[in-house]
Amino acid sequence: MATVSLTPQAVFSTDTGGVLGSATILRFPPNFVRQLSTKARRNCSNIGVAQIVAAAWSDRPAARPHSGGGGGRGRGVVSSHAAAASAAAAASPAAEASAIPNAKVAQPSAVTLAERNLLGSDASLAVHAGERLGRRIATDAITTPVVNTSAYWFNNSQELIDFKEGRHSSFEYGRYGNPTTEALEKKMSALEKAESTVFVASGMYASVAMLSALVPAGGHIVTTTDCYRKTRIYMETELPKRGISMTVIKPADMDALQNALDNNNVSLFFTETPTNPFLRCIDIELVSNMCHSKGALLCIDSTFASPINQKALTLGADLVIHSATKYIAGHNDVIGGCVSGRDELVSKVRIYHHVVGGVLNPNAAYLILRGMKTLHLRVQCQNNTALRMAQFLEEHPKIARVYYPGLPSHPEHHIAKSQMTGFGGVVSFEVAGDFDATRTFIDSVKIPYHAPSFGGCESIIDQPAIMSYWDSKEQRDIYGIKDNLIRFSIGVEDFEDLKNDLVQALAKI
């Protein structure tokens, strides 16, 4: 790319012809400057001259109409004073860092706000962690810019060698890292109180990458009967190809866990808590002690809890996984996943990820960052509404059973109370009726979407016998998925509206 040298006498013009004195003239298409005035500052892809032009436009007084006729908006001359100031500012290291995402100057301090004891709550961490201080994208924008690039450049071979040997801080290739994604990873680490986090393309891939990186060929894992079905399918069909065996236990069966640990060389216990779809809860502190006494790792899939309701790492887990598609992003508009924990473990997952792929697109990283700013607000709202809904459903004559950790009737209510600050926004329940009655109920609700997934602003409802297990009646029977089971993911709508909708739908059966 050609370098344009700007002098204090430089003049910018959007005209296509004419010479203004003896000064250097940079000509741009009509409206080019006006467009860049907003875009250049918030998108780090627009660098160099674009940043300088944008700064000059922002600083200039209102332009006079062009004297050559036509006089459209945005057509005029930036004063030589503003251009000179912009050029001088561009020459400074600070301005260079602001203009170029991967600036060749000293990077900002990696010290986070949390480390300076300025952010004491999840609410503040969700908004500011990873962004207010410490992000490597040095700009004056409040929001973290999206860095859309597949590769990063080096000034010379020596700088590249310094990078390879750890003396120069930079990125190299899009699969190995991105400034937007890095800010997101710092935010999640702050919320989960983790040393490190790696974000990937989906929650399912986060599980695959973790298992592939940390369970050796010929190893043994333990998992639970109640879990996301695709995770189980991967374990049952793919892990045996690497000689990895598996023990499956019921979530509350600690004797079965101890027996598995005693009789196998267990590499990892991988479980959800709460689980999908029955929301069973595992005592994280207890099982972490059991696993660690036998040299096994503990990985918790905390997707149903979110880091607002549960911090598995502080209870003894080695790793925590999220499908960021759910509560983390929270708007049903992006897919992603992450693994958080000790750096020595997450770095192994990151290295595997660098080789295999499964990269989170920087635009997706931006959407997740944006969603996380309201994570605490959304989850608190969903906690409150879900608890009220579970209590209401448990008293309704057309509901046979309710599964929700916040209810005293839940088998692990005491565990949920001890390790969760809220019980989540998903309520599972069984309608007092058969398959057809349950389908009639599902088809009669008006507010929730009939769809998979959960954790977003919009309520979602589904019948697992159809949505997740339609292809296997045998699997339904093995794992207790009854025809009348409903999974209800509560959004941020008003409780009374949702309740009234369920009342009218239940009246149809």
Side-chain angles (χ1 to χ4, degrees):
M1 180 177 71
T3 300
V4 178
S5 177
L6 300 177
T7 68
Q9 290 76 38
V11 177
F12 298 92
S13 173
T14 55
D15 269 343
T16 58
V19 176
L20 302 179
S22 60
T24 301
I25 306 298
L26 299 180
R27 297 183 179 85
F28 300 91
N31 293 326
F32 183 74
V33 174
R34 179 171 294 279
Q35 292 166 5
L36 285 177
S37 68
T38 55
K39 290 182 180 178
R41 288 182 179 274
R42 66 173 181 249
N43 187 338
C44 281
S45 300
N46 300 323
I47 60 176
V49 174
Q51 287 281 355
I52 298 169
V53 173
W57 176 267
S58 299
D59 293 338
R60 69 184 287 275
R64 293 176 299 173
H66 179 56
S67 59
R73 285 175 20 179
R75 297 172 60 91
V77 178
V78 180
S79 70
S80 60
H81 175 75
S86 299
S92 71
E96 183 181 358
S98 178
I100 304 176
N102 194 29
K104 303 299 187 265
V105 296
Q107 299 291 354
S109 170
V111 177
T112 67
L113 286 171
E115 290 170 334
R116 296 186 180 183
N117 299 317
L118 296 176
L119 301 180
S121 69
D122 286 344
S124 299
L125 288 171
V127 175
H128 292 297
E131 298 185 87
R132 188 69 182 272
L133 292 177
R135 73 183 180 197
R136 285 204 266 179
I137 314 170
T139 96
D140 55 2
I142 292 176
T143 56
T144 297
V146 183
V147 181
N148 282 314
T149 186
S150 59
Y152 305 85
W153 56 273
F154 295 86
N155 280 321
N156 48 53
S157 297
Q158 185 57 52
E159 186 174 84
L160 176 58
I161 292 171
D162 289 343
F163 166 74
K164 293 291 186 179
E165 296 183 355
R167 294 185 297 274
H168 174 69
S169 178
S170 182
F171 294 89
E172 180 182 0
Y173 185 59
R175 196 168 75 247
Y176 311 150
N178 176 280
T180 310
T181 305
E182 183 186 61
L184 173 60
E185 291 173 343
K186 288 180 179 180
K187 188 184 293 291
M188 179 56 73
S189 291
L191 282 171
E192 281 290 8
K193 300 188 182 302
E195 291 180 3
S196 182
T197 295
V198 57
F199 260 85
V200 295
S202 71
M204 187 65 229
Y205 177 68
S207 298
V208 170
M210 183 277 299
L211 290 167
S212 299
L214 299 179
V215 181
H220 190 92
I221 68 169
V222 181
T223 191
T224 56
T225 52
D226 197 32
C227 69
Y228 177 49
R229 190 185 178 201
K230 293 301 189 295
T231 304
R232 182 190 301 118
I233 290 174
Y234 174 79
M235 291 177 174
E236 292 175 344
T237 60
E238 298 300 320
L239 293 185
K241 297 176 182 177
R242 296 172 49 207
I244 297 172
S245 54
M246 178 172 63
T247 297
V248 182
I249 66 172
K250 293 181 178 179
D253 195 344
M254 294 298 97
D255 290 337
L257 174 60
Q258 188 62 59
N259 184 63
L261 291 167
D262 290 340
N263 294 287
N264 301 278
N265 183 20
V266 177
S267 303
L268 177 79
F269 178 30
F270 180 35
T271 181
E272 302 167 6
T273 182
T275 61
N276 181 17
F278 294 112
L279 306 171
R280 303 295 298 272
C281 295
I282 285 81
D283 188 328
I284 299 173
E285 185 172 9
L286 172 63
V287 298
S288 68
N289 291 333
M290 294 172 66
C291 290
H292 294 160
S293 69
K294 295 292 184 176
L297 297 173
L298 173 62
C299 180
I300 297 294
D301 185 329
S302 197
T303 300
F304 271 80
S306 87
I308 302 301
N309 286 335
Q310 177 177 277
K311 299 190 188 300
L313 298 176
T314 67
L315 297 169
D318 299 290
L319 294 161
V320 61
I321 280 179
H322 288 278
S323 170
T325 310
K326 313 303 192 295
Y327 290 106
I328 304 302
H331 290 76
N332 291 316
D333 62 357
V334 64
I335 293 177
C338 63
V339 183
S340 302
R342 299 202 311 273
D343 185 63
E344 63 176 294
L345 298 175
V346 175
S347 63
K348 294 179 181 179
V349 180
R350 194 185 301 276
I351 290 170
Y352 174 87
H353 166 63
H354 287 176
V355 173
V356 176
V359 180
L360 184 72
N361 185 280
N363 294 280
Y366 167 78
L367 287 172
I368 299 172
L369 269 170
R370 184 183 65 173
M372 288 182 72
K373 293 180 189 294
T374 58
L375 176 63
H376 63 293
L377 299 174
R378 291 185 282 102
V379 169
Q380 289 170 8
C381 175
Q382 290 162 312
N383 286 342
N384 294 335
T385 304
L387 179 58
R388 294 177 67 186
M389 189 64 70
Q391 293 167 339
F392 160 73
L393 289 170
E394 195 167 48
E395 298 298 322
H396 198 283
K398 291 188 178 181
I399 300 299
R401 183 171 181 180
V402 178
Y403 303 90
Y404 188 68
L407 295 177
S409 59
H410 190 278
E412 287 87 45
H413 177 61
H414 62 292
I415 294 175
K417 285 199 305 180
S418 69
Q419 68 186 27
M420 300 179 73
T421 57
F423 304 111
V426 175
V427 180
S428 294
F429 57 94
E430 292 169 359
V431 173
D434 58 11
F435 177 87
D436 289 332
T438 306
R439 192 171 72 168
T440 297
F441 166 74
I442 285 279
D443 291 343
S444 299
V445 296
K446 305 300 182 184
I447 297 176
Y449 287 95
H450 189 185
S453 198
F454 61 90
C457 291
E458 300 88 356
S459 289
I460 287 176
I461 197 165
D462 77 89
Q463 187 175 359
I466 299 177
M467 186 67 72
S468 303
Y469 288 86
W470 184 246
D471 62 334
S472 178
K473 179 67 165 64
E474 180 184 0
Q475 290 273 304
R476 278 183 263 165
D477 293 340
I478 291 173
Y479 297 109
I481 308 296
K482 297 181 180 180
D483 288 346
N484 62 347
L485 178 66
I486 298 288
R487 193 182 73 173
F488 185 17
S489 170
I490 291 170
V492 297
E493 302 96 342
D494 180 75
F495 166 73
E496 291 296 334
D497 290 339
L498 292 173
K499 184 190 78 171
N500 292 337
D501 189 24
L502 263 61
V503 168
Q504 65 83 23
L506 287 168
K508 304 289 179 61
I509 62 175

